[in-house]
Amino acid sequence: QVQLVESGGGLVQAGGSLRLSCAASGRIFRMNNMGWYRQAPGKQRELVAGISRGGVTNYADSVKGRFTISRDNAKSTLYLQMNSLKPEDTAVYYCNANVLGGAGPLDYWGQGTQVTVSS
């Protein structure tokens, strides 16, 4: 079994910054593609940013130039640096990872961390 645990969410004023972390634990052979998603109240969950094992990244248009996704494969940890935050970034942020573990390659989700941006 693999667990993903997010941290780093909180309340911040517009224009501020937060750094989210997602630590994976369990029987992990290899971390494949990873990503951050978010879900605002009344909206569908959406991809914020993704990163391949080799470091190729992609971003939602709404966060390009403000957010940076990165990973540390040795630590099985995913990060999301969020700068110039806007009230519309308010959401629960979820970590997602495709992990090759004891049960084969499977997708896992974290429990989510709340990010609230005040105007």
Side-chain angles (χ1 to χ4, degrees):
Q1 186 69 9
V2 174
Q3 296 83 36
L4 302 179
V5 179
E6 299 106 334
S7 61
L11 174 64
V12 64
Q13 287 189 330
S17 298
L18 285 173
R19 188 191 194 208
L20 305 183
S21 298
C22 172
S25 62
R27 193 178 181 197
I28 299 169
F29 297 147
R30 187 179 68 240
M31 305 288 290
N32 297 319
N33 291 344
M34 304 181 76
W36 288 98
Y37 290 72
R38 68 186 181 187
Q39 188 167 19
K43 295 188 177 181
Q44 289 189 335
R45 190 173 298 189
E46 63 175 357
L47 175 67
V48 175
I51 185 168
S52 71
R53 177 170 176 79
V56 177
T57 60
N58 63 285
Y59 296 92
D61 287 344
S62 59
V63 307
K64 282 180 181 177
R66 300 188 297 122
F67 291 9
T68 302
I69 189 171
S70 61
R71 62 189 289 169
D72 185 331
N73 290 331
K75 296 181 179 180
S76 297
T77 301
L78 179 70
Y79 304 98
L80 184 68
Q81 178 66 44
M82 304 186 294
N83 298 328
S84 302
L85 282 161
K86 303 176 181 180
E88 51 263 44
D89 295 317
T90 295
V92 178
Y93 284 70
Y94 297 91
C95 170
N96 171 264
N98 182 270
V99 179
L100 177 60
L106 294 173
D107 270 355
Y108 294 90
W109 290 90
Q111 82 287 353
T113 185
Q114 177 70 46
V115 171
T116 303
V117 184
S118 63
S119 56

